[in-house]
Amino acid sequence: MSDLTQLQYSRAQSTATDGTSQDEARGLIMTVAQAADDRKAVDIVLLRVSEVCFLADYFAIVTGFSNVQVRAISQAIADQVEEEWQRLPLRTQGLSDASWVVMDYGDAIIHILKPQEREFYNLEAFWGHAERIDFSPAP
């Protein structure tokens, strides 16, 4: 299956199967942020990108300091989202190298990066015109 066909299929599946509203997508991204924070991710940035791109409604960008921590953050997010929202990622990429893991939930895309990759790719600047969502970790 070509990348374009795969992307179209994933987007159609997420729209057809989850039927999430903006409120549900926002709840999902807050769950993602809390799960990342629980695994000691730092510099958690949440962006509402629905107004500036068609790929997703929200992006989460977080930092882990080692390959092991990046994988642990990814697993914590997957576990928490499955428990609270009964959803699995449509696709997860980068677990083998674990310097940049991308998790695609259709309406939310999560980027878990090590510091060097985060600084080099600077996703916040690329999506700088998107609305930032406040996140305060639960005590």
Side-chain angles (χ1 to χ4, degrees):
M1 184 180 302
S2 75
D3 287 343
L4 180 58
T5 306
Q6 204 169 24
L7 175 62
Q8 290 169 335
Y9 175 77
S10 294
R11 193 70 180 144
Q13 284 297 99
S14 71
T15 304
T17 57
D18 63 36
T20 56
S21 69
Q22 277 284 3
D23 290 341
E24 290 172 351
R26 186 178 178 101
L28 175 77
I29 204 69
M30 295 308 251
T31 298
V32 164
Q34 188 59 56
D37 182 66
D38 290 347
R39 285 287 177 215
K40 307 297 185 221
V42 297
D43 199 15
I44 298 170
V45 174
L46 306 178
L47 301 172
R48 187 166 135 307
V49 296
S50 59
E51 301 295 321
V52 295
C53 97
F54 69 93
L55 293 175
D57 294 331
Y58 292 93
F59 281 0
I61 306 167
V62 306
T63 298
F65 291 103
S66 69
N67 295 4
V68 172
Q69 186 185 19
V70 167
R71 285 187 192 103
I73 293 166
S74 172
Q75 189 61 55
I77 290 169
D79 292 346
Q80 197 64 34
V81 169
E82 183 177 9
E83 181 180 317
E84 289 186 27
W85 296 93
Q86 294 73 50
R87 292 179 59 183
L88 297 172
L90 299 170
R91 180 182 359 243
T92 300
Q93 295 290 323
L95 282 173
S96 60
D97 182 44
S99 59
W100 181 359
V101 173
V102 179
M103 303 173 75
D104 180 0
Y105 281 94
D107 48 359
I109 297 176
I110 295 83
H111 300 269
I112 310 161
L113 300 99
K114 288 174 48 181
Q116 301 86 348
E117 285 75 9
R118 184 152 181 183
E119 182 180 341
F120 181 80
Y121 291 104
N122 200 6
L123 296 176
E124 293 92 332
F126 186 78
W127 295 103
H129 51 292
E131 176 189 352
R132 282 189 179 232
I133 304 299
D134 289 329
F135 169 70
S136 300

